[in-house]
């Protein structure tokens, strides 16, 4: 095989969890060229991997909200034209949803996907070959297992995320070590109590670390300011683009976050990272294969600040 298309469109954490597949493909097929179809909002992630040749941004989320507009259909036709301009030896859809199956079907090449028992939606008709991937595995291993079966090769012995980010200078950030606190997440049940963030932030400040609280949505911005008002020297930056947040994470002494894609990105970058789990199972979607990553908490097991501080003490060395 000389050229492979990976399809993992979203969300941010899922895209990060698909990165080790790239290393597996390169290990199994030296000289292979890898393209990746991904939602436009997350295109910066596969672009961080030096072994990804071409990133194909897709805008399904945006298109669905404006299907009546002529411009939307022009964009769809342009994307399909770009997709079909290349013949692939293998098309591997690790997403397993209708939106990704549509991309696989539109592409030219042998299509590989999950079988009926392994995907959330029955999509076997979209693929040429389907495979069984047990649900009990971590998301990273499910991706790797599907790709390995598609190639008929075992995954690489060592898991690697393989990404790097360009350094950036932030005028608002003092030249002092900083910690990044990722308090936002996709569901309220995953949030860590604000009082515990304040206790943790004050401890980090006492270790001479500047606490940075990035945000995405207005509600997250409000929470960032509430927390910053109670944490000495804490900083709430303007809304940052994904590549800028990646650079901020990479520069941090430690990153502590809820079950969110940015937390997984920090772990993939090799930064000392603590994942806080309050309502989801870290065995399925926690930090995985990260040299300096630690998961704390579980479903209905909200970690207290003292436990997080103890782990942070170890990671900071």
């Amino acid at each position: 095989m000389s050229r492979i298309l990976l399809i993992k469109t979203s969300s941010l954490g899922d895209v990060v969890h698909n990165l080790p597949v790239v290393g597996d493909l390169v290990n199994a097929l030296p000289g292979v060229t890898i393209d990746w179809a991904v939602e436009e909002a997350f295109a910066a992630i596969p672009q961080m991997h030096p072994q990804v040749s071409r990133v194909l941004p897709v805008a399904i989320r945006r298109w669905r909200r404006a299907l009546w507009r002529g411009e939307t259909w022009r964009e769809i036709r342009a994307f399909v034209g770009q997709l079909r301009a290349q013949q692939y030896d293998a098309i591997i859809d690790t997403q397993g949803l209708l939106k990704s199956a549509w991309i696989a079907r539109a592409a030219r090449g042998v299509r590989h996907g999950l079988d009926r028992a392994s995907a959330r939606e029955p999509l076997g008709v979209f693929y040429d070959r389907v495979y069984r991937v047990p649900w009990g595995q971590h998301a990273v291993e499910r991706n790797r297992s599907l790709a390995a079966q598609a190639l008929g090769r075992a995954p690489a012995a060592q898991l690697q995320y393989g990404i790097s980010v360009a350094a950036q200078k932030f005028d608002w950030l003092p030249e002092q070590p900083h910690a990044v606190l990722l308090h936002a997440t996709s569901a309220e049940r995953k949030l860590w109590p604000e009082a515990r963030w304040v206790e943790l932030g004050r401890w980090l400040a006492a270790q001479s670390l500047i606490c940075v609280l990035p945000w995405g949505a207005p509600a997250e911005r409000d929470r960032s300011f509430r927390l910053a008002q109670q944490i000495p020297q804490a900083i709430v930056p303007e809304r940052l683009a994904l590549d800028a947040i990646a650079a901020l994470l990479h520069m941090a002494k430690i990153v502590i976050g809820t079950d969110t894609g940015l937390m997984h990105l920090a772990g993939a970058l090799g930064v000392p990272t603590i994942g806080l789990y309050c309502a989801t199972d870290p065995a399925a979607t926690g930090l995985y294969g990260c040299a300096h990553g630690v998961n704390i908490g579980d479903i209905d097991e909200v970690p207290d600040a003292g436990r997080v501080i103890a782990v942070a003490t170890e990671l900071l060395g």
Side-chain angles (χ1 to χ4, degrees):
M1 293 187 184
S2 60
R3 197 169 197 115
I4 294 176
L5 174 66
L6 293 180
I7 304 173
K8 178 72 85 171
T9 60
S10 61
S11 58
L12 177 56
D14 294 333
V15 174
V16 172
H17 286 155
N18 203 53
L19 288 167
V21 171
V22 177
D24 289 345
L25 297 179
V26 172
N27 181 74
L29 303 167
V32 68
T33 298
I34 300 169
D35 295 349
W36 188 324
V38 62
E39 270 286 342
E40 57 184 2
F42 310 123
I45 301 302
Q47 287 170 349
M48 295 176 190
H49 202 300
Q51 299 295 337
V52 174
S53 175
R54 186 172 65 142
V55 174
L56 302 171
V58 64
I60 293 174
R61 290 182 172 185
R62 180 165 54 80
W63 292 339
R64 283 189 301 204
R65 297 193 297 267
L67 285 175
W68 64 89
R69 295 179 55 193
E71 178 61 27
T72 297
W73 288 101
R74 284 190 289 273
E75 287 188 20
I76 292 173
R77 286 192 292 270
F79 170 76
V80 172
Q82 182 184 27
L83 185 67
R84 293 187 58 79
Q86 179 65 54
Q87 175 73 35
Y88 291 101
D89 297 290
I91 300 160
I92 305 175
D93 175 13
T94 59
Q95 190 87 46
L97 296 174
L98 181 60
K99 60 184 179 181
S100 58
W102 168 75
I103 296 172
R105 196 65 188 173
R108 295 194 299 129
V110 180
R111 306 168 186 91
H112 304 264
L114 298 165
D115 70 8
R116 187 184 183 97
S118 307
R120 297 186 192 129
E121 301 172 358
L123 302 169
V125 67
F126 287 88
Y127 309 115
D128 300 302
R129 299 170 189 170
V130 295
Y131 308 92
R132 179 67 52 87
V133 177
W135 281 101
Q137 301 178 70
H138 190 279
V140 169
E141 294 302 338
R142 295 193 84 234
N143 295 332
R144 300 179 77 203
S145 175
L146 174 57
Q149 292 182 72
L151 297 181
R153 311 282 182 92
Q158 184 175 358
L159 180 154
Q160 293 184 340
Y161 287 92
I163 55 174
S164 60
V165 297
Q168 294 193 32
K169 182 173 178 58
F170 302 100
D171 294 337
W172 48 265
L173 185 63
E175 292 190 6
Q176 177 181 338
H178 69 271
V180 179
L181 305 185
L182 301 170
H183 58 81
T185 188
S186 59
E188 187 171 349
R189 62 192 177 89
K190 297 181 182 181
L191 293 173
W192 200 44
E194 290 188 21
R196 301 186 190 187
W197 279 116
V198 172
E199 184 178 348
L200 172 64
R202 289 175 174 171
W203 178 82
L204 291 166
Q207 314 310 305
S208 300
L209 291 173
I210 297 290
C211 292
V212 182
L213 296 97
W215 55 277
E220 298 167 5
R221 179 181 181 274
D222 294 343
R223 190 185 307 114
S224 286
F225 277 110
R226 282 198 306 272
L227 295 173
Q229 288 171 357
Q230 303 172 75
I231 299 172
Q233 295 185 288
I235 295 175
V236 179
E238 292 296 319
R239 185 172 182 174
L240 300 172
L242 183 52
D243 59 343
I245 293 180
L248 178 69
L249 296 173
H250 194 234
M251 294 161 56
K253 291 286 288 185
I254 191 168
V255 175
I256 303 171
T258 53
D259 181 13
T260 183
L262 291 176
M263 183 268 292
H264 291 290
L265 177 57
L269 288 166
V271 180
T273 305
I274 298 176
L276 303 177
Y277 284 78
C278 305
T280 47
D281 182 5
T285 58
L287 291 164
Y288 186 85
C290 304
H292 307 290
V294 179
N295 298 307
I296 305 179
D298 209 328
I299 299 173
D300 298 326
E301 184 184 314
V302 182
D304 59 54
R307 186 179 174 195
V308 178
I309 289 170
V311 174
T313 302
E314 295 181 10
L315 288 176
L316 290 169

